Amino acid sequence: MSNPRGFLAMRLSEQDASFLYTETASSPMQTAGIAVIEGELSFDEVFRHYATRIHLVPRLRQRLVFVPMNLTHPKWVDDPDFAIGNHIVHHEMPQGSTVEDAVDAIAVLNEGVMDRSRPMWKFFVVTGVKDRTLVLQQIHHAMIDGASAVQMSTLLLDFAPDAENPEPPEEPWEPAPLPTAIELVTEALQENANAALSSNPLALLSSNEQTQDHLRRGFSTMTRFFTEPAITAPWNASLLSAKRKLVYSVQTFAEFREIRRAFGGTINDVALTVVTEGAARYLVEHGESTQNQKFRLMCPVNVRTEDEAGALGNKVSAIFPMFPASPLNVIERHQVVCEETTRIKENEEAQAMTLMQESSISIPAVAMAPLLLVGTPFDPTRFAATNPPPVLPNIGGRPPSFGVNFVLTNVPGVQVPQYIAGHEMLLTLGLMMMAGNMGLGIAVGSYNQQMIFNFTADPRLLPDLNFFSDLVDDAFSELLAEARKQNEAAVA
């Protein structure tokens, strides 16, 4: 609907703002999805498709305004200079390029920090690939998480090849006036005063037994980082550079269901099984000592409530399962995974981590002000991104890790075909965000009855990512073959 004052301005939540404060030149924090579309579309066709739907997601016409001295977190406001041509751009591949060539080029396009003076999204329409068109969709993590990205796709894409364009708004869009510096400061001081008056540092002491139990469980989870260190894998042996590589493989949803029918567990358990088994085999193939060692993963968990289902922003917690770093029989691996995830569910660790996050003492936004230099000419992280420290060699092993080996996220997608400009989206891929010394990130996405494993790595730390992907595929094939044997025996 038309709103002469523009879409509602909204303050970033602490979790949303964290993706600004933790961003560096070597760890850009935009979510990046890749749509692989049937046929060769022109840039103009794709541009028109999105241009006729932009009003369905008002946040796309908003940018951040930063409060002087960063007295509180930035807020979304209408961008008076919004021009869609700044956000949907063309990238032409050399003739004869393959989809894999285009994916490699997209990984390079996605390097670098987004412009914070404009709405923090950009779509690259990649043409020049025979029989295919690709679209890189960059949207900063301060705006969306995986679940809200899927929700946004249902607004920007069609569910039929002959779908009509949505009705345009009744009135032209008019941005609300930008707030002045004095207005921003006054509002920030008032919000900070209200927060101070309404906060009760003793509230947790008087909370109910269930809340205190969740806090104890959350504290216990965090102490495991120090009492049970993980292996330091090759992809954890240095800080990241700014370079990225993406490799993907595709399975069917039906195959996952076959495995579940035979061995139980969840879709996510199957993904954890084959990924951690592939990772363990990779270590052995590279001469790493894995005896009595374990991986620690971070697995984001969507904690949206029903009334928050359509909202943008971030509503995520995380769990930190640990699995053997030595190769196992795939059935044994699956059993170990199911035991660990069942333990985590029974301990309600995701809820405990959410409560710890909400109950922890917040660092004042003003203390984060120096971190907002990232992406500016005064970016202090730029040198480290182009001059990372040496990779720690494996000389009889490496020191233990008190962090996370890699992130594995599972984002359920739309299970029917979607269309852009009348052409079917055949595949949807995802480039993972990575930070610190986590040189590997894995996103397991689903779309139209397909399960897609997306492996993102810093090629300096994991130069043979295709080999890693092949090992995961091998583990999946073995688990599927064992499942089919068991399912056939159950029928006989």
Side-chain angles (χ1 to χ4, degrees):
M1 297 179 65
S2 176
N3 180 358
R5 290 288 299 172
F7 186 58
L8 180 66
M10 189 180 79
R11 180 83 58 207
L12 289 185
S13 70
E14 193 160 305
Q15 188 173 56
D16 293 342
S18 70
F19 293 105
L20 294 175
Y21 301 142
T22 58
E23 189 167 42
T24 69
S26 57
S27 302
M29 287 288 130
Q30 61 263 18
T31 65
I34 304 171
V36 181
I37 307 161
E38 175 267 330
E40 297 181 31
L41 283 74
S42 69
F43 169 73
D44 289 341
E45 288 177 287
V46 180
F47 184 94
R48 283 194 299 271
H49 173 93
Y50 286 114
T52 57
R53 291 157 177 78
I54 194 74
H55 65 282
L56 300 177
V57 187
R59 183 73 74 226
L60 295 179
R61 290 194 284 208
Q62 292 194 313
R63 69 173 177 86
L64 291 173
V65 291
F66 296 85
V67 182
M69 298 173 287
N70 209 45
L71 292 174
T72 190
H73 302 313
K75 67 188 303 184
W76 296 109
V77 300
D78 293 342
D79 180 10
D81 301 317
F82 177 78
I84 194 171
N86 292 329
H87 298 274
I88 304 177
V89 297
H90 189 198
H91 181 83
E92 177 74 20
M93 293 292 297
Q95 287 300 312
S97 295
T98 64
V99 169
E100 285 67 31
D101 294 332
V103 169
D104 287 342
I106 284 171
V108 175
L109 290 174
N110 194 55
E111 294 170 3
V113 177
M114 300 194 78
D115 184 354
R116 297 183 180 185
S117 69
R118 289 177 171 172
M120 296 182 71
W121 66 278
K122 197 167 191 176
F123 292 176
F124 291 85
V125 181
V126 180
T127 61
V129 178
K130 182 176 176 57
D131 297 328
R132 296 289 182 266
T133 307
L134 288 82
V135 179
L136 165 63
Q137 304 168 63
Q138 290 180 323
I139 306 175
H140 201 277
H141 212 335
M143 186 188 299
I144 62 170
D145 59 14
S148 53
V150 173
Q151 176 68 22
M152 185 182 293
S153 80
T154 66
L155 299 173
L156 296 180
L157 306 183
D158 296 329
F159 287 98
D162 55 354
E164 295 184 2
N165 289 335
E167 287 291 327
E170 296 177 2
E171 300 176 18
W173 177 71
E174 294 181 23
L178 287 175
T180 66
I182 292 177
E183 290 173 332
L184 290 169
V185 170
T186 301
E187 184 182 40
L189 292 175
Q190 184 176 9
E191 288 180 10
N192 291 343
N194 291 339
L197 291 173
S198 62
S199 65
N200 180 6
L202 301 179
L204 289 179
L205 298 179
S206 59
S207 58
N208 60 46
E209 181 61 30
Q210 184 182 27
T211 298
Q212 293 187 25
D213 184 55
H214 275 141
L215 287 172
R216 284 193 291 269
R217 294 182 187 188
F219 181 77
S220 175
T221 298
M222 297 312 296
T223 58
R224 292 184 71 196
F225 278 77
F226 304 99
T227 60
E228 300 179 43
I231 192 171
T232 296
W235 56 82
N236 306 125
S238 180
L239 296 177
L240 297 179
S241 72
K243 299 299 180 184
R244 298 291 184 269
K245 170 77 174 176
L246 171 65
V247 170
Y248 64 93
S249 66
V250 182
Q251 318 296 342
T252 70
F253 211 83
E255 290 170 332
F256 272 72
R257 285 194 288 265
E258 287 185 76
I259 294 171
R260 286 183 58 194
R261 187 163 65 251
F263 304 122
T266 66
I267 294 294
N268 201 51
D269 290 336
V270 176
L272 287 168
T273 296
V274 298
V275 165
T276 56
E277 181 59 29
R281 295 177 185 184
Y282 180 91
L283 295 185
V284 170
E285 290 288 338
H286 286 73
E288 300 286 332
S289 177
T290 62
Q291 187 173 8
N292 299 322
Q293 300 268 26
K294 287 189 173 184
F295 296 117
R296 179 182 286 110
L297 280 60
M298 185 180 85
C299 300
V301 177
N302 179 18
V303 292
R304 272 180 167 76
T305 59
E306 287 186 13
D307 59 331
E308 296 171 326
L312 299 185
N314 291 269
K315 291 288 182 179
V316 292
S317 183
I319 57 174
F320 301 93
M322 297 190 73
F323 303 110
S326 297
L328 300 172
N329 173 277
V330 285
I331 299 177
E332 182 184 356
R333 169 75 64 175
H334 188 264
Q335 292 171 340
V336 168
V337 166
C338 290
E339 289 171 2
E340 175 72 345
T341 57
T342 298
R343 179 194 66 80
I344 288 172
K345 290 171 188 173
E346 291 176 348
N347 285 342
E348 298 183 332
E349 290 189 7
Q351 296 91 323
M353 295 307 298
T354 299
L355 185 60
M356 279 198 68
Q357 177 181 300
E358 294 173 346
S359 306
S360 61
I361 298 174
S362 300
I363 300 175
V366 66
M368 300 294 186
L371 302 179
L372 298 179
L373 292 173
V374 170
T376 72
F378 307 101
D379 186 346
T381 69
R382 188 181 301 166
F383 179 82
T386 54
N387 299 275
V391 178
L392 184 67
N394 178 18
I395 306 175
R398 298 187 182 88
S401 169
F402 298 96
V404 170
N405 293 114
F406 59 89
V407 175
L408 188 149
T409 183
N410 182 2
V411 182
V414 175
Q415 295 309 313
V416 295
Q418 292 178 288
Y419 298 84
I420 297 178
H423 290 245
E424 183 178 349
M425 183 170 70
L426 302 175
L427 197 61
T428 176
L429 309 176
L431 276 156
M432 279 287 287
M433 294 170 293
M434 303 187 302
N437 70 334
M438 285 189 287
L440 170 67
I442 302 171
V444 181
S446 61
Y447 166 69
N448 193 22
Q449 304 304 313
Q450 300 174 104
M451 297 293 294
I452 307 107
F453 287 84
N454 300 273
F455 305 92
T456 305
D458 180 339
R460 190 176 70 99
L461 300 178
L462 212 167
D464 50 352
L465 186 58
N466 286 94
F467 179 58
F468 186 102
S469 174
D470 289 343
L471 291 174
V472 173
D473 285 347
D474 291 344
F476 183 86
S477 297
E478 291 172 23
L479 189 60
L480 179 62
E482 293 294 335
R484 286 174 172 169
K485 288 179 186 178
Q486 183 152 320
N487 290 335
E488 289 170 2
V491 174

